[in-house]
Amino acid sequence: MSVLGNVIWFLLGGFLPAVMWFFFGLLWSVTIIGIPVGIQCFKMAGLQLFPFGKEVTYDGMGAVSFLINLIWIFIGGVELAITNVIIGLLLCMTVIGIPFGLQSFKMAKLSLMPFGARVIHVR
């Protein structure tokens, strides 16, 4: 089921935010200090493309992750969160789109706090 969900998600709502994650990853990678943030953005772009079958936990967030998340909110986080919320609202207009809208809302939360989050593969 997660493969079919990921294919439908890719077509309906995952591509645009994934491109935005990739763009912000390139933007952060311009500086040497921002390269670790850029690498995390590229990982999140992959998760944005195929979120079904994965859960996100926030149990390992430390002080450094918190500080990077604060900076991230102003340089990329708000734009990605708004995009995911709008896509989620559009998808939730139909009964069939509700699971996809919920994935979009999960990605909106992750867009605001991506650093220190752990992705768990669920089978």
Side-chain angles (χ1 to χ4, degrees):
M1 179 62 189
S2 66
V3 173
L4 180 62
N6 280 326
V7 169
I8 295 171
W9 169 259
F10 179 81
L11 297 173
L12 294 180
F15 184 71
L16 176 64
V19 169
M20 291 176 68
W21 274 108
F22 187 76
F23 170 76
F24 285 118
L26 289 176
L27 189 66
W28 275 92
S29 295
V30 170
T31 64
I32 293 175
I33 296 172
I35 289 175
V37 177
I39 290 171
Q40 185 72 6
C41 288
F42 297 140
K43 290 178 189 176
M44 293 298 135
L47 177 65
Q48 181 76 49
L49 286 174
F50 306 109
F52 284 91
K54 298 175 182 125
E55 292 293 325
V56 178
T57 62
Y58 294 96
D59 55 359
M61 187 178 298
V64 175
S65 296
F66 177 74
L67 290 174
I68 294 174
N69 279 329
L70 282 179
I71 296 168
W72 168 255
I73 286 174
F74 299 108
I75 306 175
V78 172
E79 295 88 352
L80 280 162
I82 290 171
T83 302
N84 278 309
V85 167
I86 290 171
I87 291 171
L89 290 173
L90 291 173
L91 289 171
C92 284
M93 289 184 178
T94 64
V95 174
I96 295 172
I98 290 174
F100 301 103
L102 294 176
Q103 288 296 326
S104 189
F105 295 141
K106 176 177 80 173
M107 294 306 296
K109 180 181 176 184
L110 185 65
S111 296
L112 290 175
M113 300 184 308
F115 306 101
R118 232 174 23 132
V119 178
I120 302 168
H121 297 277
V122 179
R123 294 282 169 194

